[in-house]
Amino acid sequence: MKGEPVSIREISEITGVSVATVSRVINNTGRFSKETEARVKKALRDYHYMPNLAARGLRTKRIATVGVVVPDITNEYFARITLQVQERLFAQQYSTIICNTDEKADVERRHLDMLLAQQVSGVMYVAGMPHAFDRLGRLPAVFIDREPQAQPQSGKSCLIGSDDRLGGALAARELLEKGCRRLCVMKYRDDVSTHNAREAGFRQAAREAGLAEDAVRVEIAAEASVAAGAAHAAGLWEAGGFDGLFCTTDALAVGAAGALLERGAAIPQAVKLVGYDDTSLARYGAVPLTSVHQSTEELGRLAADTLLQIIEGREPEARRVQLPVHLVVRASTGG
Amino acid sequence: MKGEPVSIREISEITGVSVATVSRVINNTGRFSKETEARVKKALRDYHYMPNLAARGLRTKRIATVGVVVPDITNEYFARITLQVQERLFAQQYSTIICNTDEKADVERRHLDMLLAQQVSGVMYVAGMPHAFDRLGRLPAVFIDREPQAQPQSGKSCLIGSDDRLGGALAARELLEKGCRRLCVMKYRDDVSTHNAREAGFRQAAREAGLAEDAVRVEIAAEASVAAGAAHAAGLWEAGGFDGLFCTTDALAVGAAGALLERGAAIPQAVKLVGYDDTSLARYGAVPLTSVHQSTEELGRLAADTLLQIIEGREPEARRVQLPVHLVVRASTGG
DNA sequence: ATGAAAGCGCTAACAA
DNA sequence: TTGTTAGCGCTTTCAT
């Protein structure tokens, strides 16, 4: 089928026009007659010409590839965003190199070095932990979801997120409305902007509903896993109990649900539970989980478009976006 | 932090040796004195030299990048394999471009063209549907999980899979052992090698246990989704019922479980259910699901190593591998 | 042990 | 409208 790839020079020889003209036709730059255009295009097709992207990249110093840095691609929520970003960029003829950091700074650093060596034209951080910024320089970058601690000063970066405070508030209001008074928040780490904002929104809503400042207990989980959720929920329950629990991630909530049921705490009768991200675990889990839904489609789409705008030198529509979220109510708060 | 990237030529000027020698030191080829080596390496470090991969790729006609083609990265099973592959390749200094095809032939074709234009040194198909082979040519390729219909003749490709017949047989034996006699298989499509093998293994085991040839009903789902599983299970149930159902994918099984419970069919008392892939949905779903477990770690690791072997001209350890699978028994078959 | 120089495929001045 | 040419950063003969 496909022997050696044919180069622009061979097309030039075949058609009898110069390589420059062939290049012009390929890139639709400069001028050329309708007639040569037709001849060249025919040859391009007949010989299955494919541009050598390495050569083009070397010459132009930019390549239609962006890096996507994500902590864990097996996390459904991240995967959905990543997929959306990839599809959107692909539609604009960009390829994406997806890099999984496992939340490890040194892995992220190596990935970034590699992306820079590839001369990628931009980097998308999906829920990126704020690590290897020094490497980024003036490279166009868009951050989805999590806010980096130190914005690279270049002014070339944007933050596309959801309204996490609102998400936390929605969770609190749901629990309060369903009669809960002894509230807990189980959040993932203490240094992740989104999870902190969820907690803050939750507490504020609780305060506004008249609860005492210290009425909301907070538990911090080092991992966003089902196992961690179970362990922490067990601890909380034995340490005195509660009637409403907000977990800043569905996986934690699923773990909590399991541990609580095991201990005889009926959901939603004895304890009501709210998760975050509205993943399939929330929909199909043992206890259908009330959860805060973020639009991954919108997030990914907007982030991809914004990154392209920065790359192409246009002014991005917005440097800081907070998309709305909504609550999906299920059995874990009584339907 | 990071200004313009420094080139090999600048390092040459800084150290006073020729670019050729710098290149030799970088790639550890040819000869050079200990002394120049030290001087060059110091400069490399001091000035944060990063090779321009486009230039290198242009010159050597090969780039340490492979494409990974996957139908749906939001599928946990595929994501786990993909992640494993990516990590393994990354450890060997290869980057991966992950391409999501959504099972669409034209999307796959465009991805493949792009990968070829990038001059990737190989392609990994994760559960690839057998489409755009004509494009592949002699490019090293490894197929994980699904068998392509037309093997590219190059002899440059391998198939790394699990023992799907065994998986089907394990499912059948479990159902039979737990007393089921009216068996159904719900499988994903009719043209996917793995799912066909699962069905075949299931039927064979049923036969060997003395069931009549036509005692196993087969239902084909066009999508591997929870919704499709629910719809087909409902149809099957109303069409006459069964007491044992094997779904070739967990998502189908989860959907089936929901639909059956809705119709008053208790699991596992009235109906026993086996899924496939042992995803988190099986572990944490409404009905803990007995499921066939494949080692995604092993699959990904082996596939990555094999692809590298082919790329680097070594003889791959095996052209056709079938890894063992095992059954994880949970409540859906009575624990 | 090291250097000079060619050239990978392409784009972008500059010329004609 | 088209052609000529330089050169992107790197590796790799071929000299020395």
Side-chain angles (χ1 to χ4, degrees):
Chain A
M1 290 285 102
K2 178 203 148 269
E4 288 312 283
V6 11
S7 75
I8 209 174
R9 143 153 240 162
E10 305 178 69
I11 297 292
S12 139
E13 282 161 7
I14 290 159
T15 54
V17 303
S18 72
V19 292
T21 301
V22 175
S23 171
R24 288 184 190 109
V25 171
I26 290 170
N27 299 295
N28 195 27
T29 54
R31 278 191 236 300
F32 39 80
S33 68
K34 276 279 154 235
E35 194 211 337
T36 46
E37 174 176 10
R39 202 159 76 251
V40 170
K41 282 197 166 159
K42 179 165 175 2
L44 255 21
R45 246 181 293 105
D46 289 353
Y47 291 81
H48 297 111
Y49 171 80
M50 291 293 300
N52 180 320
L53 264 26
R56 179 181 286 172
L58 179 57
R59 181 61 232 237
T60 61
K61 289 173 175 301
R62 54 180 304 278
I63 185 177
T65 296
V66 319
V68 177
V69 178
V70 55
D72 177 13
I73 193 70
T74 65
N75 175 314
E76 181 186 331
Y77 172 70
F78 297 152
R80 274 180 356 211
I81 293 178
T82 303
L83 176 55
Q84 196 62 33
V85 166
Q86 201 253 22
E87 287 185 342
R88 191 78 182 180
L89 290 172
F90 187 62
Q92 311 286 339
Q93 329 291 349
Y94 276 73
S95 2
T96 53
I97 299 182
I98 296 173
C99 304
N100 200 97
T101 65
D102 203 20
E103 306 256 22
K104 300 215 180 72
D106 60 320
V107 177
E108 176 184 344
R109 191 161 250 114
R110 286 184 52 215
H111 274 298
L112 220 43
D113 281 341
M114 185 272 293
L115 291 174
L116 291 169
Q118 306 255 26
Q119 325 268 99
V120 296
S121 27
V123 174
M124 179 83 74
Y125 270 82
V126 179
M129 288 303 285
H131 291 309
F133 276 129
D134 47 327
R135 296 287 203 287
L136 263 179
R138 324 190 42 73
L139 198 66
V142 167
F143 298 85
I144 301 181
D145 212 75
R146 293 188 197 164
E147 179 153 29
Q149 277 164 351
Q151 286 273 4
Q153 55 292 72
S154 63
K156 286 253 181 194
S157 78
C158 285
L159 174 66
I160 313 287
S162 295
D163 192 341
D164 288 286
R165 288 190 70 98
L166 173 60
L170 290 175
R173 287 182 208 139
E174 168 73 5
L175 290 174
L176 290 163
E177 195 176 292
K178 297 286 168 71
C180 304
R181 283 299 171 272
R182 292 152 60 218
L183 302 181
C184 274
V185 175
M186 188 191 300
K187 76 171 171 179
Y188 170 56
R189 298 175 63 143
D190 202 23
D191 59 350
V192 182
S193 64
T194 47
H195 293 253
N196 287 341
R198 289 167 201 177
E199 181 206 344
F202 186 92
R203 300 178 79 107
Q204 185 181 340
R207 227 170 20 243
E208 285 169 6
L211 259 68
E213 183 61 40
D214 59 353
V216 176
R217 195 134 35 105
V218 176
E219 179 82 7
I220 295 173
E223 273 187 14
S225 65
V226 174
H232 285 277
L236 278 172
W237 188 250
E238 262 130 46
F242 48 86
D243 59 5
L245 173 61
F246 169 45
C247 297
T248 60
T249 254
D250 279 345
L252 288 176
V254 168
L260 291 171
L261 290 175
E262 255 180 32
R263 281 164 182 71
I267 300 174
Q269 294 79 6
V271 179
K272 295 184 174 51
L273 194 56
V274 177
Y276 215 103
D277 289 344
D278 192 24
T279 54
S280 51
L281 231 39
R283 261 196 299 288
Y284 304 118
V287 179
L289 211 61
T290 295
S291 190
V292 178
H293 180 94
Q294 322 185 48
S295 171
T296 51
E297 288 72 28
E298 190 64 6
L299 227 40
R301 193 194 60 66
L302 189 58
D305 290 353
T306 304
L307 184 56
L308 289 181
Q309 284 163 358
I310 302 178
I311 288 173
E312 288 162 11
R314 290 174 280 153
E315 184 59 23
E317 283 161 30
R319 300 216 147 271
R320 245 172 157 288
V321 179
Q322 293 221 304
L323 294 176
V325 298
H326 67 267
L327 193 74
V328 178
V329 178
R330 298 200 181 84
S332 71
T333 56
Chain B
M1 298 279 109
K2 181 207 145 262
E4 288 312 283
V6 9
S7 75
I8 207 174
R9 144 153 240 161
E10 305 177 70
I11 297 293
S12 139
E13 282 162 6
I14 290 159
T15 55
V17 304
S18 71
V19 292
T21 300
V22 176
S23 172
R24 288 185 189 107
V25 171
I26 290 170
N27 299 294
N28 195 28
T29 54
R31 280 192 238 298
F32 39 80
S33 66
K34 277 280 156 233
E35 194 211 338
T36 46
E37 175 177 10
R39 202 159 75 250
V40 169
K41 282 198 166 160
K42 177 164 176 6
L44 255 21
R45 249 181 290 106
D46 289 353
Y47 292 81
H48 296 112
Y49 171 81
M50 290 293 301
N52 180 319
L53 264 26
R56 178 181 287 172
L58 179 58
R59 180 61 228 235
T60 61
K61 289 174 176 302
R62 56 179 302 279
I63 184 176
T65 296
V66 320
V68 176
V69 178
V70 56
D72 176 14
I73 192 71
T74 65
N75 175 315
E76 180 186 331
Y77 173 69
F78 297 152
R80 275 182 350 212
I81 293 178
T82 303
L83 175 56
Q84 197 62 33
V85 166
Q86 200 254 22
E87 287 185 343
R88 192 80 182 178
L89 290 173
F90 187 62
Q92 310 286 339
Q93 328 291 348
Y94 277 74
S95 4
T96 53
I97 299 182
I98 295 173
C99 304
N100 199 97
T101 64
D102 204 19
E103 305 256 21
K104 301 215 180 73
D106 60 318
V107 176
E108 176 185 344
R109 191 161 249 112
R110 287 184 51 215
H111 275 299
L112 220 42
D113 281 341
M114 184 273 291
L115 291 173
L116 291 170
Q118 305 255 27
Q119 326 268 99
V120 296
S121 27
V123 174
M124 179 82 75
Y125 270 81
V126 178
M129 288 303 284
H131 291 308
F133 275 129
D134 47 325
R135 296 287 204 285
L136 263 180
R138 324 190 43 71
L139 199 65
V142 167
F143 298 86
I144 301 183
D145 211 76
R146 293 189 196 163
E147 179 153 27
Q149 278 162 351
Q151 285 273 4
Q153 55 292 74
S154 63
K156 287 252 182 193
S157 77
C158 284
L159 175 66
I160 313 289
S162 295
D163 192 340
D164 288 287
R165 288 190 70 98
L166 172 60
L170 291 175
R173 286 181 208 140
E174 167 73 5
L175 290 174
L176 290 163
E177 195 176 292
K178 297 286 167 72
C180 303
R181 282 302 172 268
R182 293 151 62 218
L183 302 181
C184 273
V185 175
M186 187 189 301
K187 77 170 170 178
Y188 170 56
R189 297 176 61 145
D190 202 21
D191 58 349
V192 182
S193 65
T194 46
H195 293 253
N196 287 341
R198 289 167 201 178
E199 180 205 344
F202 186 92
R203 301 178 78 109
Q204 186 182 339
R207 229 171 16 246
E208 285 170 7
L211 258 69
E213 183 62 41
D214 59 353
V216 176
R217 195 135 35 106
V218 176
E219 178 82 8
I220 296 172
E223 273 186 14
S225 65
V226 174
H232 284 278
L236 278 171
W237 188 249
E238 261 129 46
F242 48 85
D243 59 6
L245 173 61
F246 170 44
C247 297
T248 61
T249 255
D250 280 344
L252 288 175
V254 168
L260 291 171
L261 291 175
E262 255 180 32
R263 281 164 183 71
I267 300 172
Q269 294 79 7
V271 180
K272 295 186 174 50
L273 194 56
V274 177
Y276 215 103
D277 289 344
D278 191 24
T279 55
S280 50
L281 231 39
R283 260 194 300 286
Y284 304 119
V287 179
L289 211 60
T290 295
S291 190
V292 178
H293 181 95
Q294 321 185 49
S295 170
T296 51
E297 288 71 29
E298 191 63 7
L299 227 39
R301 192 194 60 67
L302 190 57
D305 290 352
T306 304
L307 184 56
L308 289 181
Q309 285 163 358
I310 303 178
I311 288 172
E312 288 162 11
R314 290 173 282 154
E315 184 59 23
E317 282 161 32
R319 301 215 148 272
R320 244 171 157 288
V321 179
Q322 294 221 305
L323 294 176
V325 298
H326 68 267
L327 193 72
V328 179
V329 178
R330 297 200 182 84
S332 72
T333 56

